[in-house]
Amino acid sequence: MENIKEITVYLQSKEDRKGCDIITFLDNKDGKNYTLYEGSYWRISSFVENSVTYETAEDLKVLTSAGYAFGRFQYFLSDFPMDRLYETIPDFHNTKKRLD
């Protein structure tokens, strides 16, 4: 959640991201961007009106839009200082290790 907070704050500071909505994670009274409710952890974010989520997508427009959004996300993070992030799952992106 600290990584999410770092990235969110960074994206909000970008001048050239106009017209690009980002999820805003909120802090609770303890300054954390998550809460424990009935034994489960939940991220705290602002409500995005008229938003839709998909488990699967059969419409090519949905897939194209998702690819475009992910590409823009990557673009906006291209100059993010990586030393501000923590490795949360060791070797998560090590494909060979994951396949083994």
Short mmCIF file of all heavy atoms in Angstrom, two decimals, residues 4-18 20-23 72-80 84:
data_model
loop_
_atom_site.label_atom_id
_atom_site.label_comp_id
_atom_site.label_asym_id
_atom_site.label_seq_id
_atom_site.Cartn_x
_atom_site.Cartn_y
_atom_site.Cartn_z
N ILE A 4 1.53 2.01 -3.61
CA ILE A 4 0.37 2.63 -4.23
C ILE A 4 0.30 4.11 -3.86
O ILE A 4 0.02 4.97 -4.70
CB ILE A 4 -0.93 1.90 -3.84
CG1 ILE A 4 -0.98 0.54 -4.53
CG2 ILE A 4 -2.16 2.72 -4.17
CD1 ILE A 4 -2.12 -0.35 -4.09
N LYS A 5 0.57 4.41 -2.60
CA LYS A 5 0.54 5.81 -2.16
C LYS A 5 1.60 6.63 -2.89
O LYS A 5 1.33 7.72 -3.37
CB LYS A 5 0.75 5.89 -0.64
CG LYS A 5 0.62 7.30 -0.11
CD LYS A 5 0.77 7.33 1.40
CE LYS A 5 -0.56 7.66 1.99
NZ LYS A 5 -0.55 7.77 3.44
N GLU A 6 2.81 6.10 -2.99
CA GLU A 6 3.90 6.81 -3.69
C GLU A 6 3.52 7.09 -5.15
O GLU A 6 3.72 8.20 -5.66
CB GLU A 6 5.19 6.00 -3.64
CG GLU A 6 5.88 5.99 -2.31
CD GLU A 6 6.54 7.32 -1.97
OE1 GLU A 6 6.89 8.09 -2.90
OE2 GLU A 6 6.69 7.60 -0.78
N ILE A 7 2.99 6.08 -5.82
CA ILE A 7 2.63 6.23 -7.23
C ILE A 7 1.47 7.20 -7.39
O ILE A 7 1.48 8.06 -8.29
CB ILE A 7 2.32 4.86 -7.85
CG1 ILE A 7 3.62 4.07 -8.01
CG2 ILE A 7 1.60 5.00 -9.18
CD1 ILE A 7 3.44 2.64 -8.41
N THR A 8 0.47 7.11 -6.54
CA THR A 8 -0.68 8.01 -6.61
C THR A 8 -0.26 9.46 -6.43
O THR A 8 -0.64 10.33 -7.22
CB THR A 8 -1.74 7.63 -5.56
OG1 THR A 8 -2.17 6.29 -5.79
CG2 THR A 8 -2.94 8.55 -5.63
N VAL A 9 0.54 9.73 -5.41
CA VAL A 9 1.00 11.10 -5.16
C VAL A 9 1.81 11.59 -6.35
O VAL A 9 1.66 12.74 -6.79
CB VAL A 9 1.81 11.16 -3.85
CG1 VAL A 9 2.54 12.49 -3.70
CG2 VAL A 9 0.89 10.92 -2.65
N TYR A 10 2.66 10.75 -6.89
CA TYR A 10 3.48 11.13 -8.04
C TYR A 10 2.61 11.46 -9.25
O TYR A 10 2.80 12.49 -9.91
CB TYR A 10 4.47 10.00 -8.38
CG TYR A 10 5.34 10.33 -9.56
CD1 TYR A 10 6.43 11.18 -9.41
CD2 TYR A 10 5.06 9.82 -10.81
CE1 TYR A 10 7.22 11.50 -10.50
CE2 TYR A 10 5.85 10.13 -11.90
CZ TYR A 10 6.93 10.97 -11.73
OH TYR A 10 7.71 11.29 -12.81
N LEU A 11 1.65 10.60 -9.55
CA LEU A 11 0.79 10.84 -10.71
C LEU A 11 -0.03 12.11 -10.55
O LEU A 11 -0.25 12.84 -11.52
CB LEU A 11 -0.13 9.64 -10.95
CG LEU A 11 0.53 8.38 -11.47
CD1 LEU A 11 -0.48 7.24 -11.56
CD2 LEU A 11 1.19 8.61 -12.82
N GLN A 12 -0.47 12.38 -9.34
CA GLN A 12 -1.25 13.60 -9.10
C GLN A 12 -0.41 14.85 -9.33
O GLN A 12 -0.94 15.91 -9.64
CB GLN A 12 -1.83 13.60 -7.68
CG GLN A 12 -2.93 12.59 -7.51
CD GLN A 12 -3.36 12.41 -6.07
OE1 GLN A 12 -2.60 12.66 -5.15
NE2 GLN A 12 -4.58 11.97 -5.88
N SER A 13 0.91 14.74 -9.21
CA SER A 13 1.78 15.89 -9.38
C SER A 13 2.17 16.15 -10.84
O SER A 13 2.73 17.18 -11.16
CB SER A 13 3.07 15.71 -8.56
OG SER A 13 3.91 14.76 -9.17
N LYS A 14 1.86 15.21 -11.72
CA LYS A 14 2.25 15.33 -13.12
C LYS A 14 1.42 16.40 -13.82
O LYS A 14 0.20 16.35 -13.81
CB LYS A 14 2.09 14.01 -13.87
CG LYS A 14 2.93 12.85 -13.36
CD LYS A 14 4.36 12.98 -13.72
CE LYS A 14 4.58 12.58 -15.14
NZ LYS A 14 5.98 12.51 -15.52
N GLU A 15 2.09 17.35 -14.44
CA GLU A 15 1.41 18.43 -15.16
C GLU A 15 0.75 17.93 -16.45
O GLU A 15 -0.30 18.40 -16.84
CB GLU A 15 2.40 19.54 -15.50
CG GLU A 15 2.86 20.33 -14.30
CD GLU A 15 1.76 21.20 -13.70
OE1 GLU A 15 0.94 21.73 -14.44
OE2 GLU A 15 1.73 21.30 -12.46
N ASP A 16 1.39 16.97 -17.13
CA ASP A 16 0.91 16.55 -18.45
C ASP A 16 -0.14 15.45 -18.40
O ASP A 16 -0.49 14.89 -19.42
CB ASP A 16 2.08 16.12 -19.32
CG ASP A 16 2.82 14.91 -18.79
OD1 ASP A 16 2.63 14.57 -17.60
OD2 ASP A 16 3.60 14.31 -19.54
N ARG A 17 -0.68 15.14 -17.24
CA ARG A 17 -1.67 14.08 -17.15
C ARG A 17 -3.10 14.60 -17.25
O ARG A 17 -4.06 13.89 -16.96
CB ARG A 17 -1.50 13.25 -15.89
CG ARG A 17 -1.91 13.95 -14.64
CD ARG A 17 -2.13 12.97 -13.50
NE ARG A 17 -2.64 13.66 -12.35
CZ ARG A 17 -3.92 13.98 -12.17
NH1 ARG A 17 -4.82 13.69 -13.06
NH2 ARG A 17 -4.30 14.63 -11.09
N LYS A 18 -3.27 15.84 -17.63
CA LYS A 18 -4.61 16.43 -17.76
C LYS A 18 -5.48 15.55 -18.66
O LYS A 18 -5.05 15.08 -19.69
CB LYS A 18 -4.53 17.84 -18.29
CG LYS A 18 -3.91 18.79 -17.29
CD LYS A 18 -3.87 20.20 -17.82
CE LYS A 18 -3.32 21.22 -16.85
NZ LYS A 18 -2.35 20.84 -15.92
N CYS A 20 -6.55 12.68 -17.77
CA CYS A 20 -6.29 11.28 -17.42
C CYS A 20 -6.67 11.08 -15.95
O CYS A 20 -6.01 11.58 -15.05
CB CYS A 20 -4.82 10.95 -17.63
SG CYS A 20 -4.42 9.24 -17.24
N ASP A 21 -7.78 10.38 -15.73
CA ASP A 21 -8.23 10.14 -14.36
C ASP A 21 -7.38 9.06 -13.71
O ASP A 21 -6.95 8.11 -14.37
CB ASP A 21 -9.69 9.68 -14.35
CG ASP A 21 -10.62 10.77 -14.83
OD1 ASP A 21 -10.30 11.95 -14.61
OD2 ASP A 21 -11.66 10.44 -15.42
N ILE A 22 -7.13 9.23 -12.43
CA ILE A 22 -6.42 8.20 -11.66
C ILE A 22 -7.23 7.91 -10.41
O ILE A 22 -7.97 8.76 -9.92
CB ILE A 22 -4.98 8.62 -11.28
CG1 ILE A 22 -4.99 9.88 -10.44
CG2 ILE A 22 -4.12 8.78 -12.51
CD1 ILE A 22 -3.65 10.21 -9.84
N ILE A 23 -7.11 6.70 -9.93
CA ILE A 23 -7.77 6.34 -8.68
C ILE A 23 -7.07 7.07 -7.55
O ILE A 23 -5.85 7.06 -7.46
CB ILE A 23 -7.72 4.82 -8.46
CG1 ILE A 23 -8.52 4.10 -9.54
CG2 ILE A 23 -8.25 4.47 -7.08
CD1 ILE A 23 -8.39 2.59 -9.48
N ARG A 72 -0.89 4.51 -21.13
CA ARG A 72 -0.78 5.87 -20.57
C ARG A 72 -0.24 5.81 -19.15
O ARG A 72 0.59 6.63 -18.75
CB ARG A 72 -2.12 6.59 -20.60
CG ARG A 72 -2.45 7.08 -22.00
CD ARG A 72 -3.71 7.90 -22.03
NE ARG A 72 -3.70 9.01 -21.10
CZ ARG A 72 -3.68 10.29 -21.44
NH1 ARG A 72 -3.65 10.62 -22.70
NH2 ARG A 72 -3.72 11.23 -20.52
N PHE A 73 -0.68 4.84 -18.37
CA PHE A 73 -0.19 4.66 -17.00
C PHE A 73 1.33 4.44 -17.03
O PHE A 73 2.07 5.07 -16.28
CB PHE A 73 -0.91 3.47 -16.36
CG PHE A 73 -0.44 3.12 -14.99
CD1 PHE A 73 -0.76 3.92 -13.91
CD2 PHE A 73 0.29 1.96 -14.77
CE1 PHE A 73 -0.34 3.59 -12.62
CE2 PHE A 73 0.71 1.62 -13.50
CZ PHE A 73 0.39 2.44 -12.43
N GLN A 74 1.79 3.58 -17.90
CA GLN A 74 3.22 3.32 -18.04
C GLN A 74 3.97 4.57 -18.48
O GLN A 74 5.05 4.86 -17.99
CB GLN A 74 3.47 2.18 -19.04
CG GLN A 74 2.98 0.83 -18.56
CD GLN A 74 3.73 0.36 -17.35
OE1 GLN A 74 4.95 0.36 -17.33
NE2 GLN A 74 3.01 -0.05 -16.32
N TYR A 75 3.38 5.30 -19.43
CA TYR A 75 4.00 6.54 -19.91
C TYR A 75 4.18 7.54 -18.77
O TYR A 75 5.25 8.13 -18.61
CB TYR A 75 3.16 7.14 -21.03
CG TYR A 75 3.58 8.55 -21.40
CD1 TYR A 75 4.72 8.77 -22.17
CD2 TYR A 75 2.85 9.64 -20.95
CE1 TYR A 75 5.12 10.06 -22.49
CE2 TYR A 75 3.25 10.93 -21.28
CZ TYR A 75 4.38 11.14 -22.03
OH TYR A 75 4.78 12.41 -22.34
N PHE A 76 3.14 7.74 -17.99
CA PHE A 76 3.21 8.71 -16.90
C PHE A 76 4.19 8.30 -15.81
O PHE A 76 4.69 9.12 -15.06
CB PHE A 76 1.83 8.97 -16.30
CG PHE A 76 0.93 9.76 -17.21
CD1 PHE A 76 -0.34 9.32 -17.50
CD2 PHE A 76 1.35 10.95 -17.78
CE1 PHE A 76 -1.18 10.04 -18.33
CE2 PHE A 76 0.53 11.69 -18.61
CZ PHE A 76 -0.74 11.23 -18.89
N LEU A 77 4.47 7.00 -15.71
CA LEU A 77 5.43 6.51 -14.71
C LEU A 77 6.84 6.34 -15.26
O LEU A 77 7.73 5.91 -14.55
CB LEU A 77 4.95 5.18 -14.12
CG LEU A 77 3.75 5.27 -13.19
CD1 LEU A 77 3.35 3.88 -12.74
CD2 LEU A 77 4.04 6.15 -11.99
N SER A 78 7.06 6.67 -16.53
CA SER A 78 8.34 6.40 -17.16
C SER A 78 9.52 7.11 -16.48
O SER A 78 10.65 6.63 -16.56
CB SER A 78 8.30 6.76 -18.65
OG SER A 78 8.10 8.16 -18.81
N ASP A 79 9.27 8.21 -15.81
CA ASP A 79 10.35 8.91 -15.10
C ASP A 79 10.18 8.86 -13.58
O ASP A 79 10.78 9.65 -12.87
CB ASP A 79 10.46 10.36 -15.60
CG ASP A 79 9.17 11.15 -15.42
OD1 ASP A 79 8.14 10.55 -15.07
OD2 ASP A 79 9.20 12.37 -15.65
N PHE A 80 9.38 7.92 -13.12
CA PHE A 80 9.18 7.75 -11.68
C PHE A 80 10.47 7.24 -11.03
O PHE A 80 11.08 6.29 -11.54
CB PHE A 80 8.04 6.76 -11.41
CG PHE A 80 7.78 6.54 -9.95
CD1 PHE A 80 7.02 7.43 -9.23
CD2 PHE A 80 8.29 5.43 -9.30
CE1 PHE A 80 6.77 7.23 -7.89
CE2 PHE A 80 8.05 5.22 -7.97
CZ PHE A 80 7.29 6.12 -7.25
N ARG A 84 11.93 4.76 -4.72
CA ARG A 84 10.89 5.10 -3.75
C ARG A 84 9.92 3.94 -3.52
O ARG A 84 9.02 4.04 -2.69
CB ARG A 84 10.13 6.35 -4.22
CG ARG A 84 11.04 7.57 -4.13
CD ARG A 84 10.50 8.80 -4.79
NE ARG A 84 9.18 9.21 -4.39
CZ ARG A 84 8.51 10.19 -4.99
NH1 ARG A 84 9.07 10.85 -6.00
NH2 ARG A 84 7.31 10.52 -4.60
#
